[in-house]
């Protein structure tokens, strides 16, 4: 071999000299490339290859710059440099020539030029600018091929900011006579849509034209865009469902030209695209879904050929069927299909079958039962990917009973796995399962130990921090908590006693925190021993500085008492000369604290108070310092994101020196500042020395985390399970139940057991894996509702709004996750179980109910109470003057606020059927309910019926006064009788109640109504505030009736516009320091997106739009007549970046939440 | 949407690369390295799918050449396999009984065919006939007879 190489090398110079002659056209171009390639393939070592290619590149470089090189030779040279680039050698000198070739060559050369450009340059290469003109010229060319090439290159490499240049021409091509051009134009627009959706907004109408194109190819291409758009907002495209269904039916029916067949399947790509679109459109929409049942059925039926492509279609079909509103017959067929997949001997199909099953078990867990043996086989499959997918499936069906087995399986897979991404993913899942279903403390701690040691330092930091928070905050039972903590301490002590040099840093940090915090809980433990262990850890090599600082703060907590103090003192001394300033400082602090016992007790009280910790997240104690500094001429602080953005804008060369150094140094300042004693004092609590600032109970972080949990894994669960009562786990079926206890134990330690026969083992495994999956109730479509109560239920926080996220998280497992909590009065009306309806039914005396029904007939009403009610509300709303929704700057307070959701007015079906007469008569009443005269001119909500029984009907209206919210309650007597001693009480813990009027009446004549109102103030913002109330009355002396009602208020009810000028705004903005940033959705459906979005916010939330300058807007509002909140928005790509500042730290979060809701509902 | 398409030989030599989303050079190199390593390490009788970060990898071997593409979460793996297959069919039709050498020596043609077939990571033209028609049209437009004859005869 080597002599071949040698020969080649010796032959090279002569070859090269041949090449370098100008006009050496005799040697055909391809053969030159061929020779080059052959030379390379003959080489054996990387080194030789490098040498050869360097030489080749030098030659090419020489030639491209020669003025004698013809375009044709240039093309060949480009091909050769492409080859070099593909092998990983840079040929940047050729880039400009590639552009030149695309510019000047004839068609064939142009093609090579464009190809070279698209391979060489990536999106943000500056040379791309030189291409724009060429592309423009070619787009206007009469030669179809040139146009095609231009369109191709546009879709490949054009960045966002170059799109406007070509957009009009590409758009024009949509009506080109040639279908190939139209198709390419549509695809190019699709690409534009992906990178800059707002730039192609105006073309949406033309997309529709493309969808109706007579050429199926063009139509297919337009579906890509539609899929994308429908994904973003399915509701706006419901009108197209009919067309999509028709197209699919035609395709499936074989109406397309044969040319589109692929292995005798008609246009499979088109079919699948349509299936995907339909499933998006039909999700949670029964009427839409109904239109597609037929065609889905037909697709399933037709796709029965034995070919990969039909399986692909089937898979997509099955997914669609399980996504849209369910239909039993189709589900059955789909389940059968999945069965075929899973049982298939073809491994690819098996894989897809598992995936489909994973998707489906969320809806119908019993399907997993049918295939349990296959699943078990897959669990031991030689292909790791299949194994991984099976674990994913098991993860979805985990419940409190099989959790130990499944987690054990996942962990053993993790031990074999070496792919970082998989490890991170699975570790997170195990942590989630452990927290949710842990059978006991011991298991939980053990599992988490394995998680920490396997997950290593790849692990996302939220796993350890949420674990620690769980320990710190504890559950509801004190005893349990203590046991958990003691167990953690015990097991970590034993971990530290073993060799711990291999343990990941994160784990060591967790260990040291737990020991520092809770080792005192364990009786009979000598704290000196703990200190010694920690000290050992401190001295160990390979322990990072971060971990050392965790260990040190643990030591700081432990150093009470004489013997320990000396040990700790020794540590502190040894640190006094360390080079690491942070450690040295901590050592210093440690020494001080040891010497001053009372300070120690104050700073680090023994049982660390979990919640009483008050963190001044706005750092208001520094306000004086800041204002002094500002007065002295310092630049105002800008948060990092703002700096970054400004940096982004300053991309164009500026002549000024960089002004950024100041904020930069400021930020680095604050980093070091964090270690100052003042911070130490506030860090004793839950997240002692977590170095992540985000973990430090920042208000914003908490909120976000809560949201994430709510809408996380379970968030996309079918919303239908609202009707599902939070039932307990179904009893596992027969044999399984009796045996699972022992089986679980057997399986979790299989090694020491004598080997049972193979099959038995599998059976056992099956029964332990699939225990608790309801088998009898196969039709139940509840997703993975958390029927069991999670073991570690977080303690609900009562005292501050920032924790609403956390408490929501703890309760969402039993509620449906889409509880649109802020729909007014939702809590009382839509939930099935609340006490109110039941109670009222108990109190409803039969005969009077009957008379009520007579009444209803006399009123000539339909029996449909629901409609009636809605109608009432609508009429009511119409009577009022409605402010025009598009007015922008002026703020008109006399307006009706429509209810956020129509549901708010819907009476629960249950109630409706039982008390039809009364509800309907109540509906009639609501038409005549009028606000008291003095309130009519104030903005107010619609009047909603809250609750009613056979005598009394209670409705409610919110009136928005400048300084307060008025809750106006209407009591209407729906009978002819006189009701006595009517008393009304309203209570709400979080709000301050002001004056009230008319809440007690001695008697109330038949068919009359009375009004009473409460003034409500909100001092600290809460996202949602529930209120409850009771009405009691007597029909005759001694017969007391009580009605309970409840409802919810939101911050939105308490927001009032704050009218100020731009200058005032600026001053106010600077006076607040803390700000919250978030991206909001930009409404892009009408007109200027910024104005449209702000208008929506203004209408829903009563914000005052101070000013709009270009792509930025400033908005102000306040909480009643109290704390202001300022919002600064800027259009940033497809979203609206907003910064909020307020003197109340939780206000921005609440406001953001409502902004998001408002935009979502819009 | 397909994120990238790679062709590499059994020895791990890259033969063709196509990126449908812009990536920095270093990232591309990393992906190529990872793909080659992962795919070549696969044992026979395993499925044609892999996971890489958040992407789904679908690969298939044709003779000595591996075709490998990266898909997004919602894409269908089986369909991607068919896309690869259709691409091979197209190459086969163009070169006539295609082999790895055809693709090595005429890699730019392979790119042209790919550009006619896929655009922006989506299938552009599903009809085999019209793709080869449009390729040939642009080929024949300028390619002189001389060049045609001097096409290497491997």
């Amino acid at each position: 071999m080597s002599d071949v190489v040698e020969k080649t090398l010796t032959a090279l110079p002569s070859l090269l000299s041949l090449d370098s002659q100008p006009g050496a056209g005799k040697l055909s171009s391809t053969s030159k490339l061929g020779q080059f390639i052959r030379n390379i393939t003959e080489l054996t070592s990387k080194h030789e290859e490098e040498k050869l290619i360097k030489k080749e590149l030098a030659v090419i470089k020489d030639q491209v710059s020669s003025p004698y090189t013809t375009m044709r030779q240039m093309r060949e040279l480009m091909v050769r440099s492409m080859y070099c680039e593909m092998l990983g050698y840079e040929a940047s000198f050729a880039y400009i020539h590639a552009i030149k070739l695309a510019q000047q060559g004839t068609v064939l050369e142009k093609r090579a030029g464009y190809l070279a450009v698209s391979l060489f340059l990536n999106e943000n290469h500056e040379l791309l600018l030189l291409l724009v003109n060429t592309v423009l010229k070619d787009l206007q060319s009469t030669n179809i091929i040139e146009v095609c090439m231009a369109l191709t290159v546009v879709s490949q490499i054009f960045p966002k900011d170059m799109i406007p240049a070509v957009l009009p021409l590409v758009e024009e091509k949509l009506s080109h006579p040639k279908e190939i051009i139209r198709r390419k134009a549509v695809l190019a627009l699709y690409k534009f849509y992906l990178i800059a959706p707002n730039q192609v907004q105006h073309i949406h109408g033309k997309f529709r034209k493309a969808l109706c194109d007579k050429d199926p190819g063009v139509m297919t291409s337009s579906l890509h865009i539609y899929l994308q758009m429908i994904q973003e907002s399915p509701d706006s495209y419901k009108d197209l469902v009919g067309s999509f269904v028709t197209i699919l039916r035609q395709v499936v029916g074989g109406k397309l030209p044969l040319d589109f067949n692929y292995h005798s399947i008609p246009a499979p790509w088109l079919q699948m695209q349509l299936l995907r679109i339909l499933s998006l459109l039909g999700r949670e929409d029964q009427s839409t879904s109904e239109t597609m049942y037929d065609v889905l059925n037909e697709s399933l039926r037709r796709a029965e050929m034995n070919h990969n492509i039909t399986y692909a279609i089937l898979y997509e079909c099955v997914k669609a069927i399980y996504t849209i509103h369910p239909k039993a017959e189709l589900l059955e067929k789909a389940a059968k299909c999945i069965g075929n997949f899973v049982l298939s001997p073809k491994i690819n199909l098996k894989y897809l079958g598992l995936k489909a099953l994973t998707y489906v078990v969320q809806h119908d867990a019993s399907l997993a039962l049918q295939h349990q043996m296959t699943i078990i086989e897959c669990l031991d499959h030689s292909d790791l990917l299949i194994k991984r997918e099976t674990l994913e499936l098991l993860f979805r069906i985990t419940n409190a009973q099989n959790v130990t087995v499944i987690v054990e399986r996942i962990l053993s897979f993790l031990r074999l796995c070496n792919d970082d991404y998989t490890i991170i993913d699975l570790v997170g899942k195990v942590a989630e399962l452990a927290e949710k279903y842990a059978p006991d403390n011991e298991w939980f701690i053990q599992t988490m130990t394995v998680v920490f040691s396997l997950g290593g330092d790849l692990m996302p930091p939220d796993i350890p921090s949420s674990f620690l928070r769980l320990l710190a905050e504890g559950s509801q039972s004190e005893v349990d908590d203590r046991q958990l903590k003691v167990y953690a301490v015990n097991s970590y002590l034993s971990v530290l006693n073993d060799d711990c040099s291999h343990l990941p840093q994160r784990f060591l940090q967790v260990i040291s925190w737990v020991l520092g915090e809770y080792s005192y809980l364990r009786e009979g433990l000598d704290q000196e021993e703990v200190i010694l262990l920690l000290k050992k850890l401190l001295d160990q090599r390979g322990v990072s500085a971060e971990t050392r600082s965790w260990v040190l703060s643990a030591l700081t907590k432990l150093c009470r008492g004489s013997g320990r103090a000396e040990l700790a003192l020794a540590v502190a001394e040894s640190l006094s000369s360390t080079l690491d300033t942070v450690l040295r400082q901590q050592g210093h602090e440690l020494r001080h604290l040891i010497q001053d016992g009372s300070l120690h007790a104050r700073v680090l009280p023994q049982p660390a108070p979990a919640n009483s910790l008050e963190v001044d997240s706005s750092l208001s104690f520094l306000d004086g310092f800041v204002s002094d500094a500002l007065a002295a001429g310092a630049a105002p602080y800008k948060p990092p994101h703002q700096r970054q953005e400004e940096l982004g804008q300053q991309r164009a060369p500026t002549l000024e020196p960089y002004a950024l150094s100041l904020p930069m140094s400021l930020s680095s300042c604050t980093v070091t500042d964090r270690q100052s004693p003042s911070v130490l004092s506030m860090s004793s609590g839950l997240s002692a020395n977590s170095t992540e600032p985000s973990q430090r109970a920042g208000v914003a972080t908490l909120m976000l985390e809560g949201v994430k949990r709510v809408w996380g894994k379970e968030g996309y669960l079918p919303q239908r399970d609202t009707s599902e009562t939070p039932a307990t786990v179904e009893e596992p079926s027969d044999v399984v139940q009796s045996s699972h206890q022992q089986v679980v134990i057997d399986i979790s330690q299989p090694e020491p057991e004598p080997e049972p026969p193979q099959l038995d083992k599998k059976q056992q495994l099956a029964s332990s894996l699939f225990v608790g999956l309801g088998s009898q109730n196969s039709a139940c479509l509840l997703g993975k509702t958390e029927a069991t109560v999670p073991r570690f239920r977080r303690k609900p926080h009562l005292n501050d709004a920032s924790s609403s996220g956390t408490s929501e998280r703890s309760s969402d497992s039993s509620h449906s996750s889409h509880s649109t909590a802020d729909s007014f009065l939702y809590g009382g009306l839509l939930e099935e179980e609340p006490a109110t309806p039941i109670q009222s039914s108990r109190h409803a005396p039969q005969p009077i109910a009957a008379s009520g029904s007579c009444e209803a007939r006399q009123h000539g009403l339909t029996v449909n109470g629901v409609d009636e009610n809605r109608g009432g509300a609508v009429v009511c709303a119409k009577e009022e003057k409605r402010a025009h929704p598009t007015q922008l700057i002026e703020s008109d307070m006399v307006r009706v606020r429509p209810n956020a959701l129509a549901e708010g007015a819907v009476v629960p079906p249950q109630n409706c059927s039982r008390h039809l007469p009364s509800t309907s008569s109540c509906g009639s009443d609501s038409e005549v309910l009028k606000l008291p005269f003095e309130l009519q001119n104030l903005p107010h909500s619609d009047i909603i019926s809250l609750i009613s029984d056979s005598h009394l009907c209670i409705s409610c209206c919110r009136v928005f006064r400048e300084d307060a919210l008025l809750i106006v309650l209407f009591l209407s007597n729906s009978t002819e009788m006189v009701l006595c001693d009517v008393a009304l009480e309203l209570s709400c813990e979080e709000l301050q109640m002001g004056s009230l009027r008319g809440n007690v009446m001695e008697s109330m004549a038949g068919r009359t109504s009375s009004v009473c109102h409460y003034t409500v103030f909100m001092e600290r913002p809460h996202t949602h505030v529930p209120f409850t109330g009771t009405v009691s009355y007597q029909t005759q002396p001694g017969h007391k009736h009580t009605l309970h009602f409840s409802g919810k208020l939101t911050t939105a009810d308490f927001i009032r516009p704050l009218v100020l000028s731009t200058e005032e705004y600026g001053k106010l903005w600077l006076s607040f320091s803390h700000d919250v940033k978030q991206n909001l959705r930009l409404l892009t459906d009408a007109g200027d997106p910024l104005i449209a979005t702000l208008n929506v916010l203004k209408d829903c939330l009563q914000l005052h739009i101070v000013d709009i300058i270009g792509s930025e807007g400033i908005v102000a509002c306040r909480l009643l007549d109290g704390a202001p909140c300022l919002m600064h928005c800027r259009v940033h790509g497809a979203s609206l970046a907003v910064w909020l500042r307020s003197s109340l730290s939780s206000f921005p979060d609440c406001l953001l939440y409502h902004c998001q809701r408002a935009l979502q509902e819009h | 949407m397909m994120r990238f398409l790679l062709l590499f030989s059994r020895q791990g030599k890259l033969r063709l690369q196509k990126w449908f989303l812009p990536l920095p050079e270093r990232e591309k190199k990393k992906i190529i390295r990872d793909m080659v390593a992962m795919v070549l390490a696969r044992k026979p009788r395993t499925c044609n799918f892999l996971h890489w970060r958040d992407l789904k990898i679908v690969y298939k071997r044709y003779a000595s050449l591996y075709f490998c593409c990266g898909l997004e979460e919602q894409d269908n793996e089986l369909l991607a396999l068919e896309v690869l297959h259709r691409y091979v069919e197209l190459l086969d039709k163009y070169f006539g009984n295609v082999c790895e050498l055809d693709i090595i020596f005429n890699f730019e043609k392979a790119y042209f065919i790919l550009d006619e077939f896929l655009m922006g990571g989506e299938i552009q033209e599903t009809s085999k006939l019209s793709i080869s028609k449009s390729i040939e049209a642009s080929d024949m437009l300028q390619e002189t007879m001389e060049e045609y004859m001097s096409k290497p005869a491997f």
Side-chain angles (χ1 to χ4, degrees), chain A residues 38 49 86 111 156 183-184 190 259 262-263 272 308 312 316 348 351-352 383 385 421, chain B residues 13 15 18 42 47-49 51 53 76 78 82 86 89 115-116 122 124-125 127 139 154:
Chain A
R38 244 173 274 164
E49 182 188 289
M86 184 158 66
R111 192 169 69 166
Q156 275 170 351
R183 202 169 56 217
K184 284 190 191 244
Y190 166 62
D259 207 28
Y262 176 81
H263 293 267
M272 302 191 44
N308 258 343
E316 218 56 51
N348 285 348
Y351 171 81
L352 278 193
D383 190 345
L385 197 74
Y421 200 82
Chain B
K13 288 260 183 235
R15 296 298 177 213
K18 187 90 199 166
R42 293 287 281 174
C47 59
N48 294 47
F49 315 124
H51 290 276
R53 298 203 192 156
N76 185 319
L78 279 182
E82 294 314 299
R86 172 46 59 113
E89 282 180 355
D115 280 345
E116 283 307 309
E122 301 283 0
Q124 176 191 166
E125 176 58 76
S127 147
D139 261 8
F154 298 111

Side-chain angles (χ1 to χ4, degrees), chain A residues 308 346-349 351 383 385-386, chain B residues 39 42-51 56-62 66-69 71 77-78 80-82 84:
Chain A
N308 258 343
K346 288 187 188 163
I347 190 154
N348 285 348
L349 292 188
Y351 171 81
D383 190 345
L385 197 74
I386 301 264
Chain B
V39 170
R42 293 287 281 174
K43 297 191 192 79
R45 290 164 163 284
T46 48
C47 59
N48 294 47
F49 315 124
L50 281 173
H51 290 276
K56 301 197 277 197
I57 308 300
V58 175
Y59 69 93
K60 187 153 190 191
R61 184 177 150 185
Y62 288 92
Y66 281 95
F67 288 67
C68 167
C69 61
L71 304 178
E77 293 94 335
L78 279 182
L81 270 183
E82 294 314 299
L84 296 182

Side-chain angles (χ1 to χ4, degrees), chain A residues 923-934:
Chain A
S924 75
D925 281 346
S926 76
E927 278 177 56
V928 292
L929 290 177
K930 277 258 174 72
L931 281 170
F933 179 73
E934 70 272 23

Side-chain angles (χ1 to χ4, degrees), chain A residues 877-941:
Chain A
K878 272 183 191 157
E879 283 173 30
E880 310 297 328
K881 275 175 275 171
R882 215 178 253 269
H884 199 267
T886 49
Q887 60 196 184
L888 184 57
I889 302 290
E890 78 194 273
S891 88
D892 183 357
M893 278 297 286
V894 186
R895 54 184 285 273
V896 174
R897 261 201 226 183
N899 271 304
L901 286 175
E903 300 165 52
V906 178
V907 176
Q910 212 184 29
N911 205 8
C912 185
S913 59
R914 281 190 212 155
H915 302 288
L916 256 186
S918 57
T919 20
S920 48
S921 66
C922 161
S924 75
D925 281 346
S926 76
E927 278 177 56
V928 292
L929 290 177
K930 277 258 174 72
L931 281 170
F933 179 73
E934 70 272 23
L935 297 179
Q936 272 178 13
N937 283 334
L938 288 172
H940 55 82
S941 70

Side-chain angles (χ1 to χ4, degrees), chain A residues 31 49 160 272 382 776 793 828 837 870 927 985 1053 1055:
Chain A
S31 74
E49 182 188 289
K160 211 180 198 167
M272 302 191 44
S382 58
Q776 49 273 70
R793 192 178 262 276
R870 263 192 194 152
E927 278 177 56
E985 251 177 80
D1053 296 322
I1055 294 175

Side-chain angles (χ1 to χ4, degrees), chain A residues 931-1064:
Chain A
L931 281 170
F933 179 73
E934 70 272 23
L935 297 179
Q936 272 178 13
N937 283 334
L938 288 172
H940 55 82
S941 70
D942 300 339
I943 299 172
I944 304 165
S945 158
L946 277 182
I947 185 95
S948 58
D949 66 0
S950 48
H951 301 105
L952 205 57
C953 170
I954 303 170
S955 314
C956 169
C957 174
R958 289 159 292 156
V959 178
F960 308 107
R961 216 167 67 188
E962 187 66 359
D963 59 335
L965 176 76
L966 298 184
I967 300 182
V968 181
L969 293 164
F970 300 88
L971 303 180
S972 356
N973 186 350
S974 47
T975 62
E976 301 289 353
M977 299 194 302
V978 177
L979 302 177
C980 314
D981 290 337
V982 184
L984 190 140
E985 251 177 80
L986 188 73
S987 67
C988 176
E989 283 181 18
E990 281 94 349
L991 297 175
Q992 290 71 41
M993 294 282 183
S995 64
L996 45 102
R997 225 180 66 181
N999 66 328
V1000 179
M1001 274 169 293
E1002 285 195 352
S1003 68
M1004 198 173 163
R1007 301 259 147 245
T1008 55
S1009 339
S1010 89
V1011 180
C1012 67
H1013 47 89
Y1014 287 83
T1015 320
V1016 187
F1017 305 97
M1018 180 184 259
E1019 274 169 9
R1020 304 208 66 84
H1022 296 265
T1023 354
H1024 306 290
V1025 189
F1027 66 82
T1028 53
T1030 48
V1031 183
S1032 58
Y1033 61 92
Q1034 296 185 346
T1035 41
Q1036 19 180 304
H1039 281 79
K1040 197 175 173 193
H1041 298 255
T1042 320
L1043 262 174
H1044 296 272
F1045 60 90
S1046 63
K1048 255 178 201 167
L1049 299 170
T1050 69
T1051 329
D1053 296 322
F1054 296 91
I1055 294 175
R1056 302 287 177 269
L1058 176 61
V1059 183
L1060 35 66
S1061 71
T1062 313
E1063 290 77 38
E1064 285 165 343

Side-chain angles (χ1 to χ4, degrees), chain A residues 9 110 121 149 169 397 443 549 669 868 935 1054 1110 1158:
Chain A
L9 284 178
K110 210 184 242 311
L121 305 184
M149 287 190 299
L169 283 174
I397 59 168
W443 182 89
S549 105
C669 243
E868 205 56 46
L935 297 179
F1054 296 91

